[in-house]
């Protein structure tokens, strides 16, 4: 059964806070077995820094995993990183390694060797320096798994938000607002809520323009694209509504009027979630053939390797991955 498999945690960028939050999360105990895709040396150094009584054990593949208390099992999927890696600095070696950790976890998830993927943060500048040109985790996951219809969802105890457009320049958002993209996002939001145990998801769709266009006064995307997509979703049996003004829809969702908000672009959707606190925020890639959750923060180079990073978001991401694979 899938529930009997370990969850795969990717360590992220070794120069950031990934190693220490992974060690802290495993040291305090997680609700299910886990293995790590990362660098054994970095995890040992993090454990020593934190005073964590954990043994670090390398395994050749996930198939050889035997998770147990007091041991972090690390899948050997990249050559060992140098112990001299500078904390909090962009580094091509760390960037390339972080990418390889994610790819190895994706391959194992696709092969059914792990229950889900939980990712610690990678650094885009380090990854680009290492010759890997992706905007972030989401695009890597989608391309390597062959997924065409996918979206980013951010969630915490008070809000769930799914994005129509993700990592694109603000000037390019308008070109990405198509009927097909809107309807795809609404469908993915509906499916994500069902997977989270919500039997009849109430989906609010945010407008793109101020006041949701105000009847065409501030733009016609709501009239020509967003509203028709909502109507099409309703014809498919989904409880979708809107377009709602972006300055009030998140407040209404927070008070319980909606189960999820479909936001039109990155900052429209992510600012409200992150304002409530990144500590318990979880990033979910919706539409993949496996469950992937992630922390709702970056590599935090400014505090990396100081022993003060907070693992709360990683633990929340782990718990959400368990909930989404419980069925």
């Amino acid at each position: 059964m899938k529930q009997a498999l370990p969850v795969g945690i990717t360590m992220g960028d070794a120069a950031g806070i990934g190693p220490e939050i992974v060690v802290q999360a495993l040291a305090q105990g997680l609700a299910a077995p886990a293995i790590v895709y990362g660098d054994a040396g970095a995890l040992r150094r993090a454990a020593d820094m934190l005073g964590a009584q954990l043994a670090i054990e390398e395994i050749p593949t996930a198939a050889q995993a035997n998770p147990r208390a007091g041991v972090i099992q690390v899948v050997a999927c990249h050559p060992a990183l140098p112990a001299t890696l500078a904390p909090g600095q962009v580094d091509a070696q760390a960037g390339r390694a972080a990418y390889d950790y994610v790819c190895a976890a994706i391959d194992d998830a696709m092969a059914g060797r792990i229950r889900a993927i939980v990712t610690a943060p990678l650094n885009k500048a380090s990854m680009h320096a290492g010759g890997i040109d992706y905007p972030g985790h989401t695009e890597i996951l989608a391309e390597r798994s062959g997924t065409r219809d996918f979206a980013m969802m951010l969630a915490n105890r008070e809000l769930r938000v799914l994005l129509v457009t993700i990592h694109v320049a603000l000037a390019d958002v308008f070109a990405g607002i198509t009927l097909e993209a809107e309807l795809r996002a609404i469908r993915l939001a509906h499916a994500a809520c069902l997977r989270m145990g919500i039997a009849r998801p109430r989906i609010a769709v945010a407008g793109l323009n101020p006041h949701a266009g105000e009847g065409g006064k501030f733009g016609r995307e709501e009239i020509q694209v967003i509203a028709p997509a909502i109507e099409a979703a309703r014809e498919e049996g989904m409880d979708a509504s809107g377009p709602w003004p972006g300055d009030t829809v998140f407040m209404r969702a927070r008070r319980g009027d909606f189960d999820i908000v479909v936001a039109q672009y990155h900052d429209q959707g992510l600012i409200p979630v992150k304002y409530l606190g990144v500590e318990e925020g979880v990033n979910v890639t919706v539409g993949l053939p496996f469950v992937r959750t992630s922390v709702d923060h970056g590599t935090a180079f400014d505090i990396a390797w100081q022993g003060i990073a907070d693992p709360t978001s990683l633990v929340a991401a782990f718990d959400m991955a368990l909930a989404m694979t419980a069925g």
Side-chain angles (χ1 to χ4, degrees):
M1 291 180 62
K2 197 176 189 70
Q3 292 90 329
L5 296 171
V7 173
I9 301 175
T10 62
M11 189 185 77
D13 193 297
I17 63 172
E20 55 193 291
I21 62 173
V22 169
V23 166
Q24 288 181 80
L26 286 162
Q28 71 184 43
L30 294 170
I35 58 175
V36 178
Y37 296 80
D39 184 76
L43 292 167
R44 288 191 187 101
R45 292 189 291 277
D48 289 344
M49 176 186 68
L50 296 164
Q53 301 300 309
L54 292 169
I56 312 298
E57 177 182 292
E58 278 195 303
I59 56 175
T61 68
Q64 278 71 52
N66 178 29
R68 55 203 186 276
V71 178
I72 297 180
Q73 291 196 313
V74 186
V75 179
C77 54
H78 185 87
L81 292 171
T84 55
L85 195 72
Q89 300 294 321
V90 171
D91 187 282
Q93 294 178 92
R96 177 72 204 202
Y99 170 75
D100 286 346
Y101 305 152
V102 174
C103 289
I106 294 169
D107 293 346
D108 281 343
M110 293 290 288
R113 289 187 282 266
I114 55 176
R115 176 173 174 173
I117 299 175
V118 178
T119 60
L122 50 76
N123 184 276
K124 297 178 182 67
S126 296
M127 198 167 63
H128 293 168
I132 308 301
D133 189 19
Y134 285 92
H137 269 117
T138 305
E139 293 79 7
I140 298 170
L141 289 151
E143 182 174 299
R144 195 167 184 91
S145 66
T147 303
R148 289 189 57 196
D149 293 338
F150 62 93
M152 177 190 291
M153 180 178 77
L154 270 289
N156 57 29
R157 293 183 182 183
E158 299 181 78
L159 277 178
R160 299 179 192 88
V161 177
L162 185 138
L163 305 179
V164 177
T165 62
I166 307 177
H167 296 124
V168 298
L170 190 58
D172 297 330
V173 166
F174 289 86
I177 303 302
T178 65
L179 192 147
E180 294 76 14
E182 292 292 328
L183 187 54
R184 179 173 63 245
I186 296 169
R187 288 169 176 157
L188 288 169
H190 181 79
C193 287
L194 290 177
R195 193 157 198 174
M196 298 174 82
I198 301 170
R200 179 67 175 167
R202 297 164 301 162
I203 306 162
V205 182
L208 174 65
N209 297 293
H211 303 179
E214 201 166 296
K217 183 177 180 180
F218 302 134
R220 300 193 59 80
E221 286 81 6
E222 286 78 10
I223 295 170
Q224 296 174 344
V225 179
I226 301 174
I230 293 168
E231 182 58 32
R234 293 183 66 83
E235 289 175 0
E236 292 181 13
M238 288 174 270
D239 184 3
S241 64
W244 302 106
D247 58 355
T248 56
V249 67
F250 301 101
M251 173 191 68
R252 294 184 60 192
R254 189 182 180 196
R255 75 186 185 194
D257 292 355
F258 310 114
D259 297 304
I260 191 167
V261 177
V262 172
Q264 299 301 322
Y265 57 93
H266 187 279
D267 285 10
Q268 182 190 52
L270 268 57
I271 287 174
V273 179
K274 293 191 176 187
Y275 179 76
L276 294 173
V278 298
E279 296 84 5
E280 295 185 358
V282 178
N283 182 337
V284 183
T285 306
V286 180
L288 299 172
F290 50 83
V291 168
R292 177 266 178 167
T293 65
S294 181
V295 296
D296 186 22
H297 58 73
T299 48
F301 275 178
D302 57 325
I303 63 166
W305 291 92
Q306 297 177 34
I308 60 174
D310 187 348
T312 303
S313 183
L314 184 66
V315 175
F318 190 91
D319 290 344
M320 186 171 289
L322 296 186
M324 294 181 72
T325 55

